[in-house]
Amino acid sequence: MYGNFTYNNPTKLYFGEESLDRLHDELKNYGPTVLLTYGGGSIKKNGIYDAVCEILHSEGKRIVELSGVMPNPTYEKVLEGCQSVRDNNVDLILAVGGGSTIDYAKGVSASAYCEEDAWQKYWVNQGNPDCKIVPVGAILTMVGTGSEMNGGSVITNRKAGFKLGKVFGPSLYPRFAVLNPRYTMTVPQYQMVAGFFDIMSHLMEQYFAGTADCTTDYINEGLMRSLIHSSRIAAQNPQDYEARANIMWTATWALNTLLKCGKGGDWEVHQIGHAIGLVTDATHGMTLASVSLPYYHHVMHDGLHQFVRFAKNVWNVRPDGKSDEQVATEGLKCLEQWMHEIGVVTHSRELGVTEQNIEAVADAVLILPVGYRTLTRNEVIEILRESL
Ligand code: NZQ
Ligand code: ZN
């Protein structure tokens, strides 16, 4: 384990079918006004909204509602939330939804009392809040992003022409998160498998970095194997509780800072995915799925030892009599096969990327100087073209 790191994750997790009951105790820690924020209305159809409101009422809370948080939440919507927080003197922001709603809640929390231009300060300049922040709590309804136990807040600003992530420090992590696997059972299949790929992508983004024999890689491989196993079951039978529960737990650990301990990280697939999301408004996990294969084939030779390890330890590829290139390529073939099995998109044209908008996508890609290879803009275009 190289380097120095601090591991501090303050989010308290309540997991399981009865986990919402614990909201009663949690609410006692906060003042009377709760901003209840959610997306386009799925929680009203599946009963989660009623269950949450009943608890809020029974604990004597005043509920201020802020609905309509869209997938790929926008900065304009963040500003609307900020106004509501200030107007109502909100004591707790309770986000009920997937990554978009929870990311949004963090963005509102950090921006409501920010005296500067919050977009510029946090998402462009990657600064940290020095103003009052409002505590955030999360009730997770869709699995994938890990937002329930991290400081990530990915916001789209179409006027500025960017979808950017800001990773806030522990003060912006949800104070608590309710993880009831049953709540994820109504997620449509397309969104569900997109979430599965998002988890795999988080694992791979952190795995494909570094050259050391790192404990974190062994943890990561265990999570990948669990995800692959359970996702195969869930893709066939989404109502399988055990599989969905395992995946929910894996998703949280895939991006709650544990797996970056002693590692660097790549994150270029996410940068390309965010640019596709900006231009097409496609589902996050699918944007990653659409470019991952061309990307990993592109950088395979730069991190060959790790791609060999991936093939052997994650996909059980037998190395006997094969070159490292052959083993690594077989590992990526297994990844591709699994993607087809669970049913994710493998071509960006399915999401609306075309020869005509490829330059616009490339313009919005942040090129990070990390991972096994720093791409040039031409390489980004090449990868995008291969992804079509
Ligand atoms: O809006 P509603 O009506 O609730 O419908 C949502 C939405 O349409 C639906 N849904 C969620 N739970 C449901 C459900 N439908 C039926 N039953 C349920 N139980 O699913 C759709 C997608 O929801 P969304 O929250 O957008 O999905 P996801 O969790 O994938 O979040 C995506 C956002 O998170 C960001 C992405 O960039 C994207 O903006 N990310 C956040 C990260 C973080 N905080 O660390 C890291 C990730 O890499 C990612 O970038
Ligand atoms: Zn992601």
Side-chain angles (χ1 to χ4, degrees):
M1 299 290 284
Y2 289 116
N4 303 288
F5 57 83
T6 303
Y7 182 74
N8 171 24
N9 194 315
T11 302
K12 190 170 190 176
L13 297 178
Y14 296 112
F15 190 94
E17 290 185 83
E18 269 119 52
S19 50
L20 188 66
D21 294 347
R22 307 304 301 274
L23 184 60
H24 282 286
D25 302 331
E26 273 301 330
L27 289 174
K28 298 188 198 315
N29 298 324
Y30 304 96
T33 305
V34 175
L35 183 77
L36 176 64
T37 186
Y38 54 95
S42 71
I43 64 164
K44 291 206 166 163
K45 290 193 205 120
N46 56 24
I48 300 172
Y49 173 87
D50 289 339
V52 171
C53 285
E54 198 182 312
I55 295 176
L56 287 168
H57 285 131
S58 78
E59 293 302 326
K61 300 296 179 187
R62 178 168 81 96
I63 304 173
V64 178
E65 285 202 29
L66 183 57
S67 62
V69 179
M70 59 294 273
N72 303 319
T74 63
Y75 185 58
E76 288 74 12
K77 187 74 184 170
V78 169
L79 293 180
E80 182 192 329
C82 292
Q83 191 66 47
S84 185
V85 164
R86 290 191 301 265
D87 290 350
N88 294 288
N89 198 16
V90 165
D91 298 298
L92 171 72
I93 303 176
L94 186 58
V96 186
S100 294
T101 303
I102 304 172
D103 279 20
Y104 173 75
K106 294 173 204 168
V108 170
S109 165
S111 308
Y113 297 102
C114 177
E115 286 174 4
E116 299 156 58
D117 177 336
W119 171 256
Q120 204 62 32
K121 181 180 172 83
Y122 300 136
W123 287 276
V124 176
N125 296 334
Q126 297 288 304
N128 293 313
D130 44 19
C131 58
K132 172 181 164 184
I133 56 169
V134 185
V136 171
I139 296 171
L140 190 64
T141 67
M142 141 110 203
V143 163
T145 64
S147 189
E148 65 276 12
M149 202 185 188
N150 70 31
S153 174
V154 183
I155 300 297
T156 297
N157 187 332
R158 292 224 153 69
K159 224 188 278 168
F162 281 106
K163 174 178 176 178
L164 296 176
K166 162 68 186 164
V167 181
F168 290 106
S171 62
L172 261 295
Y173 288 27
R175 301 286 166 97
F176 63 90
V178 171
L179 274 59
N180 180 346
R182 287 264 172 241
Y183 287 174
T184 68
M185 298 287 190
T186 52
V187 174
Q189 181 97 6
Y190 183 89
Q191 299 292 342
M192 177 187 78
V193 296
F196 295 172
F197 192 82
D198 192 19
I199 304 167
M200 189 65 179
S201 181
H202 297 159
L203 295 169
M204 293 191 295
E205 295 270 30
Q206 294 169 102
Y207 186 77
F208 290 117
T211 54
D213 179 34
C214 183
T215 297
T216 303
D217 284 335
Y218 293 85
I219 301 173
N220 193 325
E221 285 160 0
L223 291 170
M224 287 197 227
R225 292 177 72 98
S226 171
L227 173 68
I228 293 160
H229 171 74
S230 295
S231 62
R232 283 182 167 140
I233 297 168
Q236 292 301 315
N237 178 14
Q239 299 305 312
D240 188 306
Y241 181 84
E242 189 177 45
R244 298 298 292 272
N246 283 335
I247 294 167
M248 189 173 222
W249 192 234
T250 302
T252 301
W253 286 93
L255 196 53
N256 70 357
T257 73
L258 174 74
L259 296 184
K260 70 173 188 177
C261 296
K263 295 280 296 181
D266 183 334
W267 296 107
E268 199 55 52
V269 168
H270 268 67
Q271 301 316 313
I272 303 175
H274 287 343
I276 295 176
L278 175 84
V279 172
T280 67
D281 207 21
T283 297
H284 172 65
M286 292 305 189
T287 65
L288 309 173
S290 74
V291 295
S292 285
L293 293 168
Y295 177 78
Y296 286 122
H297 279 288
H298 196 87
V299 302
M300 190 185 88
H301 287 96
D302 302 281
L304 192 58
H305 64 283
Q306 195 73 350
F307 282 90
V308 169
R309 183 179 167 147
F310 177 67
K312 291 198 287 199
N313 294 0
V314 178
W315 301 103
N316 302 321
V317 172
R318 298 183 63 122
D320 327 319
K322 297 169 193 161
S323 68
D324 281 356
E325 274 80 6
Q326 284 170 323
V327 176
T329 306
E330 242 183 83
L332 291 182
K333 200 78 212 146
C334 293
L335 172 66
E336 183 174 357
Q337 171 64 32
W338 170 75
M339 290 169 73
H340 290 308
E341 273 176 62
I342 63 168
V344 290
V345 162
T346 49
H347 295 285
S348 62
R349 77 178 116 78
E350 295 172 61
L351 305 174
V353 180
T354 60
E355 271 298 340
Q356 285 68 46
N357 63 19
I358 233 171
E359 296 279 340
V361 174
D363 285 343
V365 174
L366 280 192
I367 296 178
L368 304 176
V370 287
Y372 291 125
R373 181 187 184 85
T374 302
L375 300 181
T376 62
R377 189 177 186 279
N378 280 345
E379 286 176 291
V380 171
I381 300 255
E382 210 179 295
I383 289 164
L384 283 169
R385 209 157 263 147
E386 280 171 35
S387 80
L388 286 175

